[in-house]
């Protein structure tokens, strides 16, 4: 909320809502319940069934499905949600017991009991979608239900991160009568037990959420209804915000749009921007099925050539910073192994790497990116990557792109030699920036069976209930990533929410998984 006189003079171009609330311009006497909050985003769900999504669909899931545990605003460890309590019952972190809250129900009236929990999680493995979250449950052996309120998870190996998985939308709980055990639900509806129910849905266009009157959990809803509008073009989203057609935006704003929304003119027009520290990262994936990419020297030469500073400066203009590890700043165990090994961009060093491997001709490669998942700046980012690599005369890059659904199919089928991905953490732990990218089946669709990470470092770190105690293992894993260059981190982004000045709660709306908690938003009712 911006005072058009005094507050604008005393604040910087960017300030948080919580600070500006001190100007005392808007009352806190409750939300305007009659009018829904309308939020715009460029991250439309790929599916409504949580068994087949490990992507931005979680934005919606967090608000309509419930999980046993969750991450309230400010939490770094999972807290009870559908569960009343959860704990490991052995010293080896292999038996995890949860006691459910009494009287829980899904929105269709079905009881949310231990059998419903087992059904919800078992079907993820049974269906086995190659774009679903099954890999997050790799340590799960079986689920036992000794009574209606007790669920026991028996793990194959020690895994102190398992509670974090249960706190992510990967573990969304679904009503057994509506969600088949062995196939996906395909009627375009949702039956959950979260803070909201899905009143209506138009794919790629709009999701209308209403208050779930039977909800019992940690969320304190500050509004009665939320409409989420999906935009393929962030420029149209910003225009809708300025035109007061939507109340807030999240995901997909370009750097230029953020800077525009931070100007005094935008503030005077009633727009505010909230900045949050983010763990969102962008990276390149190299597919060893491609004969050129399979050469370590080619991957290392690309790592030696790309100038992250120039990329961030030209494309992201201060809204991101160079990243030299898959584990970003702010996460326990962060190091800079790619900088330690490759230093600043150096074409001569890259040339020597290729020459020593017997490669003397420009390497021709196709880089792929998605057009509608990470915002309009993605095209500019890949144009800059192509410029840098082409100008080195060591590479000749062709750019290709696809909408998210087709792009997702392509990388999962290993069709792309090099492609760009973004990563939003499933949970705030360094394990989540290492484990999803290794193994025969992983989050990026290109098998990376790195035995030391898989058989030694991850198992050892997961025996530590004190997550900081596994730092050494994560540092070693990051170093291996830098040596192999199967993944190349590019930048780490900040998180921004732009909103109309009468919307409060944006500073609390982002959980540690960077999903928007819609229940935190509310409309101020007076000036």
């Amino acid at each position: 909320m911006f005072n058009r006189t005094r507050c604008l003079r005393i604040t910087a171009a960017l300030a948080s809502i919580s600070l500006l609330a001190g100007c005392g311009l808007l009352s806190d006497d409750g939300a305007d319940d009659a009018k829904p909050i309308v939020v715009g985003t460029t991250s439309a769900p790929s599916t409504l069934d949580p068994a087949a999504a490990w992507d931005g669909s979680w934005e919606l899931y967090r608000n309509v499905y419930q999980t046993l545990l969750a991450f309230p605003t400010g939490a770094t460890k999972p807290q009870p949600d559908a569960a009343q309590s959860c704990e490991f019952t052995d010293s080896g972190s292999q038996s995890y017991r949860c006691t459910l809250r009494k009287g829980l129900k899904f929105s269709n009236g079905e009881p949310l009991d231990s059998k419903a929990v087992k059904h919800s999680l078992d079907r993820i493995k049974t269906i086995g979608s190659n774009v679903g979250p099954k890999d997050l449950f790799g340590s799960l052996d079986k689920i036992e239900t000794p009574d209606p309120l007790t669920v026991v998870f028996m793990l194959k190996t020690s895994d102190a991160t398992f509670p974090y998985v249960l706190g992510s939308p990967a573990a969304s709980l679904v009503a057994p009568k509506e969600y088949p055990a062995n196939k996906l639900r395909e009627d375009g509806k949702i039956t959950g037990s979260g803070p909201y129910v899905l009143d209506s849905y138009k794919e790629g266009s709009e999701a209308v959420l209403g208050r779930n009157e039977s909800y019992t959990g940690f969320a304190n809803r500050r509004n009665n209804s939320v409409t989420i509008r999906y935009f393929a073009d962030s420029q149209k989203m910003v225009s809708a915000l300025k035109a007061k057609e939507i109340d807030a935006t999240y995901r997909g704003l370009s750097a230029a749009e953020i800077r525009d929304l931070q100007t005094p003119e935008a503030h005077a027009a009633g727009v505010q921007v909230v900045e949050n520290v983010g763990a969102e990262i962008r990276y390149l994936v190299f597919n060893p099925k491609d004969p050129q990419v399979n050469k370590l020297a080619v991957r290392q030469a690309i790592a030696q050539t790309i100038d992250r500073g120039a990329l961030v400066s030209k494309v992201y203009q201060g809204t991101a910073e160079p990243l030299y590890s898959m584990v970003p700043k702010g996460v326990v165990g962060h190091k800079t192994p790619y900088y330690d090994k490759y230093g600043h961009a150096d074409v001569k060093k890259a040339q020597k790497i290729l020459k020593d491997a017997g490669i003397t001709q420009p390497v021709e490669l196709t880089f792929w990116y998605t057009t509608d998942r990470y915002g309009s700046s993605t095209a500019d980012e890949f144009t800059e990557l192509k410029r840098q690599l082409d100008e080195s005369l060591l590479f000749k890059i062709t750019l290709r792109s696809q909408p998210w659904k087709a792009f997702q199919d392509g990388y999962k089928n290993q069709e792309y030699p090099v492609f760009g991905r973004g990563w939003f953490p499933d949970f705030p732990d360094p394990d989540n920036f290492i484990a999803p990218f290794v193994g025969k089946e992983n989050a990026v669709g290109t098998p990376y069976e790195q035995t030391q990470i898989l058989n030694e470092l991850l198992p050892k770190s997961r025996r530590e209930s004190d997550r900081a105690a596994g730092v050494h293992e994560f540092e070693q894993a990051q170093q291996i990533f830098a040596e192999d260059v199967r993944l190349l981190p590019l930048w780490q982004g900040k998180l921004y929410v732009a909103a109309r000045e009468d919307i409060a709660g944006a500073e609390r709306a982002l959980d540690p998984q960077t999903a928007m908690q819609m229940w935190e938003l509310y409309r101020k009712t007076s000036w």
Side-chain angles (χ1 to χ4, degrees), residues 390-450:
D390 284 353
E391 286 188 2
S392 74
L393 302 181
L394 303 176
F395 300 94
K396 186 176 181 181
I397 306 301
T398 300
L399 297 182
R400 299 287 300 276
S401 61
Q402 288 268 31
W404 175 249
K405 281 193 173 182
F407 177 80
Q408 194 176 37
D409 289 339
Y411 78 71
K412 283 292 184 180
N413 291 325
Q414 301 182 46
E415 296 173 2
Y416 308 149
V418 185
F419 58 96
R421 286 291 311 275
W423 187 252
F424 309 99
D426 304 316
F427 49 84
D429 187 274
D431 185 283
N432 196 234
F433 293 92
I434 300 293
F437 307 113
V438 293
K440 185 175 181 179
E441 296 182 352
N442 58 48
V444 295
T446 55
Y448 181 28
E449 298 182 76
Q450 216 296 328

Side-chain angles (χ1 to χ4, degrees), residues 100 106 110-123 143-152 173-177:
L100 298 174
F106 291 102
E110 276 189 78
L112 198 173
D113 55 16
S114 60
K115 290 185 178 180
V117 173
K118 177 176 170 61
H119 174 88
S120 299
L121 302 187
D122 278 350
R123 67 189 295 270
I143 302 173
E144 299 176 351
T145 56
D147 62 62
L149 294 180
T150 304
V151 188
V152 180
L173 304 176
V174 300
K177 290 182 180 179

Side-chain angles (χ1 to χ4, degrees), residues 142-165:
K142 61 181 179 179
I143 302 173
E144 299 176 351
T145 56
D147 62 62
L149 294 180
T150 304
V151 188
V152 180
F153 301 94
M154 304 302 297
L155 308 182
K156 302 172 187 175
T157 59
S158 299
D159 187 0
T161 71
F162 189 72
Y164 292 78
V165 176

